[in-house]
Structure formats: structure tokens, C-alpha cells
Amino acid sequence: MLPSEIEQLFDFPPAQYSEDHRRTFEAFKVALNRGEVRAAEPDAASKTGWRINKWVKKGILLGFRMGEVVDMSVDRERQPFFDKDTYPVKAVNLASQVRIVPGGSSIRDGSYVGRGVTCMPPTFINAGAYVDNGTMVDSHALIGSCAQVGRNCHISAGAQIGGVLEPIGALPVIIEEEVTVGGNCGVYEGVVVKRRAVLGSGVILNGSTAVYDLVREQMYTATDGGPLTIPEEAVVVPGARAISHPAGQRWKLSLYTPIIVKYRDARTNERVQLESLFR
């Protein structure tokens, strides 16, 4: 499949889509499901280590533009399900080697879920997401559209990995290999979390967050040239910093601030190693 085919279809008015156009989209979605194309992919030449594939994001949006809302309910009374006919629930079978524990999880078609991934109920994985082999997606966790999650990660209960489908040129959230995302964390707006980092429970990262590194005595923020990037093996916990404004000082206010308190060591590895037993 050529990117030019998707680019051309993206510019068509919805009323002009034909059955041939739908077949082109279905072939594109098969490639998404297999992980053959993805919204972002590793690129050693890039400053972030990742490259955006704008044409893939256009293809995902094309499905919403092309689709019609239909009744997909298995039982309309007990569990009504109405959505675009281009994005039903992803077909998963025993050969997929994905564990989907009963209890209401949903994986949307057009997402890649690798072998050995475990989905604890209720989990939601949106179209365009890429979840690599061996990752655990725990209860009430969200993997947003186009988010990229590497091998052997643990996305803990209540964590939100935000999706970035629009604007087309925006980098989605990237969670690299062997990252632990603690309970009730939120990672949004194209943040890149490098391999083997650990986000402690309740850490929130987005495009306007400043992260303070106590070990290296540095501060990390998003810039015009790139996203907020958490270094490899960093251990990040929620923190606070005093407000310098006179009123803030008078009222003794502080702002939430993520802090890198250390980098992974033998004790950290021992604590997160238990996660592999559940995969």
C-alpha cells in the first residue's frame, strides 16, 4: 500500500467514497492490525528517536470520515453498541496469544496488540495504538489513539496514555520498552518516556510540565523543537515546588512538579521484576 493512496482518499468529499475506496481503507486497517504500519516509529536520525508518519494518521482519520454509524450490539438491551462501521471491535483469537481477562475490556479495530499482551478488565485500546509484545495493560487503563507502547511495559491500574490523532503532524505519546507506568498516572500531549523509566503512582506529564532531575541537576520541558522527554531509567515521582509570587508565598502555596529522584538500581529492578510473573 502506498502512502499516496491514503493521501488522495483523505482529500475526497465523504459523499464520493466508493466500495473500491472502502477496500483500500480495509487493506490499510489490516496493515495497522498487523503492526506493519504505525503512526510513529523508531528513527535513530531523529532527535527524539521517533518519526511521525502523517499519512498513517490521515488513514486513521479517513476511517471516521468514511464510516457510517451502525448497530453493532450483540445484545441491544444488555450492552448497546453503536459506532462507525469502519471501527468495530478488533478480532482477536487464540492464535493472537493476547490475554483478555473477562470484565468489559475493549480493543478497537485498527490497533496493534502484540503477542503476550495482557488486558485486565476494563481496558480500552483505541484505533491506531501500538502495544508491543509482553505488555500488561491493567484495570481502568486507557491507551489512546496512535499512542505507542513498547515491549514488556506495565501500564498500571487507572493510568491514561493519551492519544494524539490531531493535529496530523503532532507526535503521539511514546512509551518505550520496559517502562513501568504507575497507578493513576497520566501521560499526554506527545510526551516521550524512554526505555526502562519508572513513573511513580500519580505522576502527570504533558506538554507544559517541567520535570526536575535531582540526580543530574537538570530541568526537562517541551520546546518548539521537541516534546518533553523522560530519560532512560529515570525514576519519577510526584513532587511540589514553592510559588515565588508574593501572594503564593503569603498563602504558602506550591505547584505540582514531577521530580526524578534517582535512576534505576538493583532495588528498583527487584520491585518491578515481579510484574513479569503475571505475563
Side-chain angles (χ1 to χ4, degrees):
M1 176 185 301
L2 296 175
S4 59
E5 293 181 71
I6 296 298
E7 296 276 4
Q8 291 170 5
L9 286 182
F10 189 75
D11 294 329
F12 267 59
Q16 296 183 18
Y17 289 129
S18 66
E19 287 304 313
D20 284 343
H21 295 152
R22 277 184 167 260
R23 281 191 284 271
T24 297
F25 171 74
E26 289 299 323
F28 165 75
K29 196 167 59 173
V30 167
L32 278 176
N33 281 320
R34 292 176 176 171
E36 296 168 355
V37 300
R38 44 198 295 196
E41 59 185 300
D43 181 1
S46 168
K47 183 179 179 181
T48 63
W50 290 82
R51 180 180 71 251
I52 305 166
N53 291 322
K54 295 181 182 179
W55 74 273
V56 174
K57 296 179 80 173
K58 285 185 175 182
I60 296 165
L61 285 169
L62 180 65
F64 292 103
R65 181 182 297 185
M66 184 180 290
E68 299 177 359
V69 176
V70 297
D71 185 351
M72 301 187 195
S73 307
V74 176
D75 185 324
R76 191 183 298 177
E77 297 299 321
R78 295 184 178 181
Q79 191 172 14
F81 175 20
F82 304 92
D83 203 351
K84 297 276 188 169
D85 62 349
T86 44
Y87 286 112
V89 173
K90 180 182 175 73
V92 179
N93 55 36
L94 190 59
S96 305
Q97 290 297 290
V98 175
R99 291 175 57 199
I100 304 178
V101 179
S105 294
S106 182
I107 305 174
R108 214 171 191 182
D109 206 15
S111 60
Y112 175 75
V113 181
R115 297 175 70 84
V117 169
T118 300
C119 299
M120 298 300 291
T123 288
F124 183 70
I125 300 175
N126 209 348
Y130 187 102
V131 183
D132 213 339
N133 299 349
T135 284
M136 165 77 80
V137 185
D138 217 332
S139 303
H140 296 278
L142 165 71
I143 311 295
S145 181
C146 297
Q148 307 288 301
V149 180
R151 292 172 179 257
N152 299 326
C153 293
H154 188 108
I155 311 300
S156 299
Q160 304 262 320
I161 308 301
V164 180
L165 188 50
E166 293 184 280
I168 295 293
L171 187 72
V173 172
I174 306 292
I175 306 292
E176 293 191 356
E177 296 183 358
E178 298 182 50
V179 169
T180 298
V181 178
N184 295 311
C185 283
V187 187
Y188 311 104
E189 299 176 359
V191 169
V192 177
V193 181
K194 304 299 282 185
R195 63 183 298 275
R196 290 175 54 80
V198 177
L199 306 184
S201 298
V203 168
I204 306 295
L205 303 172
N206 58 40
S208 58
T209 304
V211 178
Y212 291 81
D213 188 337
L214 298 183
V215 180
R216 298 175 179 174
E217 298 187 11
Q218 296 183 31
M219 182 178 72
Y220 308 111
T221 61
T223 66
D224 291 340
L228 170 64
T229 300
I230 302 301
E232 289 189 10
E233 301 198 331
V235 178
V236 189
V237 300
R241 60 187 176 91
I243 294 177
S244 59
H245 189 280
Q249 292 180 331
R250 186 167 65 252
W251 294 329
K252 298 181 180 180
L253 300 179
S254 59
L255 292 173
Y256 162 76
T257 301
I259 300 171
I260 297 175
V261 291
K262 66 176 185 177
Y263 284 76
R264 283 180 71 148
D265 54 20
R267 185 179 177 187
T268 309
N269 293 337
E270 182 180 338
R271 292 183 66 181
V272 301
Q273 189 177 22
L274 289 173
E275 309 297 349
S276 64
L277 299 176
F278 298 101
R279 297 191 177 103

